[in-house]
Amino acid sequence: MANVVVVGSQWGDEGKGKIVDWLSERADVVVRFQGGHNAGHTLVIDGVKFKLSALPSGVVRGRLSIIGNGVVLDPWALMAEIETLRGQGVEVTPQVVRIAENVPLILPLHRNLDQAREAAAGKGKIGTTGRGIGPAYEDKVGRRAIRAGDLATPQVLSEKVDKLLFHHNALLRGMGMPEVDGAGLLAELAEMAPRLLPYVEATWKTLDEARRNGQRILYEGAQGTMLDIDHGTYPFVTSSNVVAGQAAAGSGQGPGAVDYVLGITKAYTTRVGSGPFPSELFDATGQRLGERGNEFGTVTGRARRCGWFDAVLVRQAVKVNGINGIALTKLDVLDGMDELKICVGYRIGDETYDYLPACSIKQAQVQPVYETMQGWSESTEGARTWNDLPATAIKYIRHIEELIGAPVALLSTSPEREDTILVQDPFED
């Protein structure tokens, strides 16, 4: 049985929550391998909405749900999310949720620093969620992070807090901000320790045992490829690697742990926050996509920028991730449009490109080259077989497959889990 990695092939918000939920019923273990609670997934089950930010989506289905070492974790946000789910009738216990002992923690000082930097940046802001993800990753690579397992050893924790604050308080003094009180931070961590530690273990061992026992593992990515710290529209990116290769490193498994890469791909394109967006629409069509697609961020509530499908970006994501197949989502949002456009190339001055250059100046200058296709008047919402789809919708899908160099493995036609057309089961690859 294959182990599957789910990644976003655009700028996130592609509908990963529903697809991961759909796949989690076939999985034994679901793993988050990067990011923080800045990435939200919305699941709709029997008409009930579940909004997840820190927890793997499998938790709603009672699957073993692991927060891997590649994540940065805000323990206060996690506990609040657990309580919300319990209020919705979901059982969340240490038997269901496991946290890597070496996962770095997001602390209140990270949130404050994140927000202060964004405010100071003005028009040059990145567009972060202000939840401390970037500063927490900085401390991780700076070798001064507080990790989940540290909460079990108060003496070590005190020494690490001193080292952390030596760095942070110098930054705060330079920004004219109040310094962090070490005793106060230690008290907060001491209060959190008995709540968090029951979930903490060496999750790489748990995953290794699951693999050896032939269990199906679903690696759940957050954000999207174009927000990857290396391969995205830098500097308007997140602070971690979000591509499929991170699934192994971010969970403590070797690269052989991954058998199939599924790229979640929206039938048009959206983006939250600042940064280049070649196919963005500023007219009534863009507004219509946003309204019909309910394009508001799960975490922030911010309206998403909307545009035509960008085949150049998705083709690049297919290659960078090694995507075997895509799950095409929100096709129904395009219902009733007379014509559709697909970005098939870029132009910068007199030059043409079949990829997005890494240079931020060039990215800002990109002009899209479009192909125009006929739309369809019939509804695709709720379709569960190819026979339920209009011929022109199928033609649109087939052309996307040709342009991006990857087949459609799943097709989503509404937020409901059952409204999914299965072409190829990734777990049976």
Side-chain angles (χ1 to χ4, degrees), residues 224-429:
T225 300
M226 289 302 142
L227 292 175
D228 184 273
I229 188 69
D230 288 313
H231 301 287
T233 48
Y234 190 90
F236 300 99
V237 292
T238 194
S239 299
S240 63
N241 286 114
V242 310
V243 292
Q246 175 65 13
S251 63
Q253 303 296 289
V258 176
D259 301 298
Y260 189 100
V261 180
L262 181 68
I264 316 300
T265 307
K266 196 175 287 186
Y268 49 101
T269 311
T270 61
R271 168 164 208 172
V272 171
S274 306
F277 185 170
S279 66
E280 184 172 9
L281 295 170
F282 301 94
D283 57 10
T285 300
Q287 183 177 353
R288 175 179 175 174
L289 290 173
E291 291 172 352
R292 291 202 60 187
N294 192 29
E295 296 297 351
F296 298 92
T298 299
V299 170
T300 63
R302 289 184 292 182
R304 297 175 185 139
R305 301 154 64 189
C306 297
W308 294 118
F309 185 84
D310 191 332
V312 182
L313 282 186
V314 177
R315 182 173 62 243
Q316 190 165 328
V318 166
K319 296 180 183 299
V320 169
N321 287 284
I323 289 174
N324 300 101
I326 68 166
L328 190 65
T329 66
K330 291 201 170 184
L331 182 71
D332 55 299
V333 174
L334 302 179
D335 293 351
M337 302 186 75
D338 294 331
E339 67 175 29
L340 305 169
K341 292 184 179 181
I342 299 176
C343 177
V344 296
Y346 296 146
R347 182 175 292 112
I348 304 175
D350 296 330
E351 294 186 75
T352 58
Y353 290 80
D354 61 356
Y355 68 98
L356 186 65
C359 174
S360 59
I361 295 175
K362 288 186 176 181
Q363 288 178 358
Q365 296 172 341
V366 162
Q367 296 297 316
V369 177
Y370 287 119
E371 282 186 3
T372 302
M373 297 190 67
Q374 181 183 353
W376 54 88
S377 57
E378 305 94 324
S379 174
T380 64
E381 184 175 2
R384 298 185 183 181
T385 70
W386 286 106
N387 292 334
D388 296 332
L389 297 174
T392 45
I394 295 175
K395 185 177 180 181
Y396 180 77
I397 295 167
R398 295 304 185 206
H399 194 43
I400 283 176
E401 291 179 318
E402 178 184 4
L403 289 169
I404 67 174
V408 170
L410 294 96
L411 179 65
S412 172
T413 56
S414 92
E416 292 292 341
R417 190 177 67 94
E418 291 77 12
D419 294 336
T420 304
I421 299 173
L422 176 63
V423 181
Q424 178 189 27
D425 189 337
F427 282 118
E428 301 293 340
D429 178 54

